[in-house]
Amino acid sequence: MLKKEIIVKKIEDQLDFDFNINIGYIDSFEDFQNIILSPYNQGKRVFYRGERKNSITRPLIPSIFRNKNFLLSENENATMINCDYLYDFYNRVPEYFDLCQRIFGAITTDNMYQFLAFSQHYYGISPLIDFTKSPYVALSFALKDRTEYKEDILIYTLEILDDKDYTCDYDTANSWIRDYNVLVLRDITQRELEHPYETIENLKKYSKFVKGQSLIGRSAPKARLIDVPTNDLMRYQQGVFLLLDDFNLYSKSYFTKRIRDDFAIKKWLVSKELCPLLLERLHRDRPYYAYKNITNLSQAVNDIKANNIL
């Protein structure tokens, strides 16, 4: 490899913001079988996530960050999202918070994980990102039982490189949530883009949130994987959670370098031409993971009953 190419690769490695440095293509069922299904069938520790399309407007980001207006008050340009903030955030809806306390018992900042896992699946807002141990679940979320596909679908695969960032221990998950900190900044305006030095000076005042760390140095999140199922839907979907921590969120994207140091995350674009066949195989091999059933365990069981003589 030429020296120039090596330099370009190093720059790409540092500045990747959408896992596009590791992207592959699947355009045949044989490829899908070899790349996606075979590791699963062999019992390898691979995790999956399905998206209906690959788009820069759909970054791998927790649901709580998709609308910053929920997080920042009118006069705030930045706020630290930590465990205390999360507790207060959900308590803004006391009916929901009270319901969860009737289910789980008292919720405190020392035992937030079970509540956040429930909130991800039933409330739809949390700092957690869904992955699954089953490629069929990921495929269901990507295909969504559609009959026509105008764009390629996307499957993420994730493999663990460092076990210190993986846990199946409930107390460890709670401790990770307790130490959670993400600095969220209001989206940069066009004027701020046109005056970068002034913008950097303005950002410096938020360094108090990050205890002397460089704001620029915090642009890449640390990632942890939590494999602690806590509710029926999570068990059914063979779910695990990716937790992005210790970073600044300037827009809706982030540098992926630190994540890729601990996890091998790859994006696979699956040809839209292949999707009808994959949907057929999914309905044949795992009918209970049809998209109409994937968030409704009762419906899945009813379909099984209807298709079998008891």
Side-chain angles (χ1 to χ4, degrees):
M1 185 180 292
L2 297 176
K3 185 175 181 180
K4 181 179 178 181
E5 292 175 329
I6 293 174
I7 293 173
V8 169
K9 287 290 184 185
K10 287 183 178 180
I11 292 173
E12 288 177 344
D13 182 60
Q14 291 293 327
L15 299 183
D16 175 66
F17 65 91
D18 196 29
F19 299 101
N20 281 332
I21 195 170
N22 290 318
I23 193 165
Y25 299 89
I26 296 174
D27 56 13
S28 71
F29 185 78
E30 182 180 9
D31 285 345
F32 191 85
Q33 178 75 38
N34 292 335
I35 295 169
I36 304 297
L37 296 182
S38 289
Y40 172 73
N41 292 332
Q42 293 165 14
K44 292 186 178 179
R45 193 167 56 166
V46 181
F47 305 90
Y48 308 87
R49 177 179 171 85
E51 298 270 6
R52 64 182 177 85
K53 66 178 181 178
N54 180 41
S55 171
I56 198 171
T57 65
R58 298 173 61 87
L60 192 63
I61 191 170
S63 51
I64 197 170
F65 297 135
R66 290 175 188 167
N67 188 342
K68 292 183 181 179
N69 292 331
F70 289 144
L71 305 176
L72 296 163
S73 64
E74 186 176 347
N75 298 319
E76 277 186 319
N77 287 318
T79 191
M80 178 63 78
I81 311 300
N82 55 26
C83 196
D84 290 329
Y85 182 99
L86 291 171
Y87 184 92
D88 293 338
F89 173 81
Y90 290 102
N91 225 343
R92 294 178 200 170
V93 186
E95 297 88 350
Y96 174 70
F97 203 80
D98 290 346
L99 168 65
C100 291
Q101 292 202 110
R102 290 178 183 276
I103 298 171
F104 309 125
I107 298 169
T108 71
T109 53
D110 288 325
N111 69 346
M112 286 282 284
Y113 169 67
Q114 185 176 21
F115 168 72
L116 292 178
F118 184 88
S119 296
Q120 172 65 7
H121 282 141
Y122 295 98
Y123 195 64
I125 302 175
S126 90
L128 305 169
I129 300 176
D130 286 302
F131 273 76
T132 174
K133 298 176 183 179
S134 170
Y136 294 100
V137 171
L139 189 59
S140 179
F141 277 107
L143 295 172
K144 296 188 184 301
D145 288 349
R146 290 172 290 169
T147 57
E148 294 184 3
Y149 297 87
K150 296 181 180 179
E151 299 180 81
D152 299 338
I153 63 170
L154 173 63
I155 302 288
Y156 287 94
T157 57
L158 180 153
E159 296 183 69
I160 299 166
L161 300 179
D162 190 336
D163 267 334
K164 69 182 177 62
D165 292 316
Y166 166 84
T167 191
C168 54
D169 177 72
Y170 186 81
D171 291 336
T172 299
N174 273 324
S175 71
W176 286 350
I177 299 295
R178 192 163 52 246
D179 295 335
Y180 181 75
N181 73 95
V182 175
L183 179 63
V184 172
L185 295 104
R186 194 176 297 281
D187 291 347
I188 293 176
T189 65
Q190 183 62 38
R191 184 192 180 283
E192 289 170 327
L193 287 173
E194 294 169 353
H195 299 82
Y197 295 110
E198 179 184 332
T199 300
I200 290 172
E201 287 301 313
N202 288 335
L203 289 175
K204 285 181 179 178
K205 62 186 176 183
Y206 299 116
S207 60
K208 65 181 180 179
F209 284 109
V210 294
K211 300 178 182 178
Q213 291 177 279
S214 162
L215 284 171
I216 302 300
R218 278 178 50 95
S219 296
K222 177 75 175 174
R224 295 185 169 101
L225 197 69
I226 302 175
D227 184 4
V228 186
T230 61
N231 59 70
D232 290 343
L233 199 55
M234 190 176 179
R235 293 186 183 95
Y236 169 46
Q237 294 177 3
Q238 299 184 55
V240 299
F241 289 126
L242 189 68
L243 177 70
L244 304 184
D245 190 10
D246 193 27
F247 74 109
N248 304 328
L249 186 65
Y250 295 102
S251 58
K252 289 187 179 179
S253 60
Y254 48 82
F255 294 136
T256 66
K257 172 62 176 170
R258 279 210 296 172
I259 299 175
R260 291 182 288 105
D261 285 344
D262 293 326
F263 297 96
I265 297 184
K266 187 153 187 173
K267 292 171 71 171
W268 296 97
L269 288 183
V270 182
S271 169
K272 60 185 179 183
E273 309 298 333
L274 182 59
C275 289
L277 175 59
L278 292 177
L279 181 64
E280 177 188 320
R281 295 296 180 99
L282 173 67
H283 286 180
R284 186 194 72 185
D285 297 342
R286 300 289 193 281
Y288 42 86
Y289 283 149
Y291 186 67
K292 66 176 182 176
N293 296 331
I294 198 68
T295 60
N296 189 338
L297 184 53
S298 295
Q299 181 63 48
V301 173
N302 285 337
D303 280 2
I304 291 172
K305 287 170 63 178
N307 292 321
N308 289 272
I309 300 174
L310 300 180

